[in-house]
């Protein structure tokens, strides 16, 4: 099962990030797990927000080359003064405004800052893409881990059923005096050991579901849908 994980996860993560299929009612599929991780996990949202912040810094640095328009205005109100008979009252309110348009012709000090902002944005965008790619890998890895634990539980359950049948047969042989009591004791020990493995594997399955649910940001109860086509493609020998 670990061989499946090593071979299948790196081969399918890149293509699964563009899978358009939506998770419907039924077993959770590998493509659905990756898609849910990209859309619901906070790591993907943080990566997007960090890229937006870097892009805003580029826009802010670009404003150093934009023209500036400054408008000022003033308004003065004077109290009315007593007038002599026959005199005309002067205006008691005056105002004015001034507009200045400035266009930088050469702003040499802003070019390095603008260039720096562009390079920081490119670096942040690459870092955000890498963070999403790692999240895709983690989602696929958690999916295969849970899937392998499910199959381990099925194998443990089959062993438990076989141990129960073996104990029943052995006890019947003891009753018929065809086997000794030691054989029945040995069968009982095998049954207890098989039950212990089942209980331990159930815990591993639940822990794997919790890890996968933490990545996709929703509860996962299983069973999962095995990616048959992906697993078949993973076991094909690589040729040069």
């Amino acid at each position: 099962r670990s061989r499946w994980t090593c071979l299948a996860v790196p081969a399918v993560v890149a293509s699964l990030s563009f899978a358009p299929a939506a998770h419907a009612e039924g077993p959770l599929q590998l493509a659905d797990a990756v898609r849910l991780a990209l859309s619901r996990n906070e790591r993907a949202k943080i990566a997007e927000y960090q890229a937006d912040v870097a892009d805003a810094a580029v826009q802010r640095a670009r404003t150093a080359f934009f023209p500036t328009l400054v408008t000022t205005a003033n308004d003065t109100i004077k109290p009315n003064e007593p007038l002599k008979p026959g005199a005309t009252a002067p205006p008691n309110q005056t105002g004015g405004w001034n507009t200045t348009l400035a266009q930088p012709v050469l702003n040499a000090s802003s070019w390095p800052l603008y260039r720096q902002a562009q390079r920081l944005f490119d670096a942040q965008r690459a870092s955000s893409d890498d963070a999403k790619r790692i999240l895709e890998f983690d989602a696929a890895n958690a999916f295969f881990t849970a899937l392998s634990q499910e199959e381990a539980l099925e194998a443990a359950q089959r062993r438990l059923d076989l141990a129960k049948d073996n104990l029943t047969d052995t006890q019947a042989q003891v009753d018929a005096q065809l086997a000794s009591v030691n054989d029945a004791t040995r069968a009982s020990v095998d049954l207890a050991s098989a039950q212990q493995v089942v209980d331990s594997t159930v815990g591993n399955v639940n822990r794997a579901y919790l890890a996968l649910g933490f990545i996709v940001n929703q509860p996962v109860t299983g069973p999962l849908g095995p990616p048959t086509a992906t697993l078949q493609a993973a076991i094909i020998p690589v040729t040069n």
Side-chain angles (χ1 to χ4, degrees):
R1 184 63 58 189
S2 60
R3 180 171 177 263
W4 282 5
T5 303
C6 295
L7 292 176
V9 172
V12 301
V13 165
S15 61
L16 288 175
S17 61
F18 301 99
H23 175 50
E25 293 297 332
L28 181 67
Q29 301 293 330
L30 177 59
D32 297 328
V34 174
R35 178 183 56 80
L36 288 173
L38 289 176
S39 61
R40 299 173 63 92
N41 192 282
E42 65 276 5
R43 288 160 55 184
K45 297 182 183 298
I46 291 173
E48 294 176 357
Y49 292 153
Q50 288 176 340
D52 292 341
V53 170
D55 182 57
V58 175
Q59 304 300 327
R60 181 179 180 181
R62 188 181 291 119
T63 59
F65 308 101
F66 291 167
T68 57
L69 180 64
V70 181
T71 300
T72 58
N74 61 80
D75 186 34
T76 304
I77 300 178
K78 297 180 180 180
N80 292 327
E81 297 179 358
L83 302 177
K84 296 179 180 180
T88 303
N92 61 352
Q93 183 176 1
T94 59
W97 61 276
N98 180 43
T99 301
T100 304
L101 177 64
Q103 171 62 59
V105 178
L106 179 61
N107 193 349
S109 61
S110 298
W111 278 106
L113 298 177
Y114 177 60
R115 194 70 171 174
Q116 180 188 27
Q118 286 182 318
R119 291 295 176 263
L120 289 176
F121 171 66
D122 293 338
Q124 183 57 59
R125 183 171 55 186
S127 178
S128 298
D129 292 341
D130 183 64
K132 291 182 179 181
R133 190 177 299 110
I134 293 176
L135 178 60
E136 295 171 3
F137 182 87
D138 291 343
N141 188 43
F143 182 90
F144 277 106
T145 299
L147 186 63
S148 65
Q149 292 299 330
E150 283 184 347
E151 298 198 1
L153 179 59
E154 292 180 4
Q157 189 62 49
R158 288 194 295 269
R159 178 189 173 189
L160 178 61
D161 295 338
L162 180 62
K164 290 179 180 179
D165 294 340
N166 183 44
L167 178 60
T168 301
D169 294 340
T170 304
Q171 188 62 47
Q173 292 176 3
V174 171
D175 294 340
Q177 298 183 354
L178 298 176
S180 65
V181 178
N182 292 335
D183 295 330
T185 303
R186 187 181 303 106
S188 299
V189 172
D190 291 340
L191 177 60
S193 177
Q195 184 63 56
Q196 180 183 9
V197 173
V198 169
D199 295 339
S200 177
T201 309
V202 168
N204 294 336
V205 170
N206 293 331
R207 185 163 51 248
Y209 284 161
L210 288 175
L212 179 58
F214 178 78
I215 294 179
V216 302
N217 197 16
Q218 75 171 29
V220 176
T221 57
L224 304 179
T228 306
T230 301
L231 295 176
Q232 290 178 351
I235 62 177
I236 297 177
V238 178
T239 57
N240 296 329

